[in-house]
Amino acid sequence: MKRHILVSEKSAAISAIAEALDFPDWFGQNLDALYDSLTDLSWLPEGEYVLVVPANLDSAVADVLRDAAKRTAESGDRKLRVIRTER
């Protein structure tokens, strides 16, 4: 599944990612909860999930995405891939 995240500001990006990946209601809307949810994804079917994010994405959110993608690549049946784009 491929989803485009069109916002770069931190709180808006967190919300957009949560919506794109249909995070559970208990999602905490912060960076720690974002990482935890991105490295779990147990509510979604097995497979690869691709987020396309703007190049100017908030650096803290970008760091969480990078770390989560690295962790899911190493283990698990739900992989996260992040693509940064100028568009």
Side-chain angles (χ1 to χ4, degrees), residues 21-84:
L21 294 175
D22 197 27
F23 282 4
D25 292 336
W26 48 259
F27 174 66
Q29 293 289 334
N30 60 57
L31 292 173
D32 289 335
L34 179 62
Y35 179 81
D36 290 345
S37 295
L38 289 172
T39 56
D40 178 0
L41 299 176
S42 61
W43 60 93
L44 295 174
E46 293 180 8
E48 181 180 58
Y49 295 88
V50 179
L51 292 175
V52 179
V53 300
N56 66 340
L57 181 66
D58 177 87
S59 62
V61 176
D63 289 346
V64 167
L65 292 176
R66 183 194 65 238
D67 292 348
K70 182 179 177 185
R71 181 163 179 206
T72 64
E74 295 168 352
S75 63
D77 48 12
R78 291 161 184 87
K79 309 279 188 217
L80 175 67
R81 189 162 56 115
V82 179
I83 299 171
R84 294 182 82 167

